[in-house]
Amino acid sequence: MPRARFTLEATAADVRRTRGRICAAVRSWGVPLDAEAHLRLELVASELLTNGLVHAGGRMTAEVALTGSFLVVEVHDDSPRLPRRREADVDDERGRGLALVEACCLFSGAETTDGGKRCFAVLSVAGAVRDTPAGPALCDVGGAAGSARWTLTPTARRLLPDLLSDLSAPDEDAGADALPGRARA
């Protein structure tokens, strides 16, 4: 499974640079990204990284992995505080990041880790996948209340078994580059 990991400081310049590096890594793997898929990847990476910049600060790690026909984008930071979706007013300059991520991906989530939190999003690269008009559903899962928050679109509900079987397959590259926090089935 191709994957790339980038360590960065929580600065606007590093966020911009890492967003570009994530897209360049995906292109280098030969993933067929049309203009819309490239824009979705850029936007999701930017929003996850910016969330870490604004709400956590310090050092972050960004990762992108290709598993089957899915791209998994993750950002790890030192803050255990999980992101919360807000309803932004028309004039608000902030508060739309999670809604944008949810609109661009199949599912997304955040969970606490021993060193802070992991925020992630899963995008399809197997053609255009559209959600039903009902939009995404927000579900709390995991152990203690607030320890994980996941968003799952109707399309993701259908594709989730395929993704989980891809993630549970033996990984020849599982050494030092294995994605931390990833549970194997």
Side-chain angles (χ1 to χ4, degrees), residues 2-4 6 18-19 21-23 26 29 33 37-38 40-49 61-67 70-76 101 104-105 107-110 118-125 163 179 182:
R3 65 182 76 198
F6 309 100
T18 303
R19 177 187 62 221
R21 292 175 73 194
I22 287 170
C23 291
V26 171
W29 300 333
L33 293 177
H38 184 266
R40 282 193 330 260
L41 174 61
E42 239 182 14
L43 184 59
V44 165
S46 184
E47 290 300 326
L48 293 179
L49 289 162
T61 303
E63 301 180 29
V64 61
L66 176 66
T67 175
F70 303 102
L71 283 172
V72 180
V73 180
E74 299 185 8
V75 174
H76 303 256
V101 169
C104 291
C105 65
F107 61 95
S108 61
R118 175 176 78 103
C119 299
F120 69 92
V122 178
L123 296 95
S124 173
V125 290
L163 176 62
L179 296 176
R182 178 68 38 88

Side-chain angles (χ1 to χ4, degrees), residues 84-130:
R84 290 189 346 231
R85 185 171 178 180
R86 296 184 333 170
E87 294 300 322
D89 288 333
V90 173
D91 295 331
D92 288 347
E93 292 183 13
R94 293 185 173 179
R96 294 177 183 84
L98 290 180
L100 287 170
V101 169
E102 290 170 5
C104 291
C105 65
L106 294 171
F107 61 95
S108 61
E111 62 188 358
T112 56
T113 64
D114 289 339
K117 72 175 166 292
R118 175 176 78 103
C119 299
F120 69 92
V122 178
L123 296 95
S124 173
V125 290
V129 177
R130 301 282 181 209

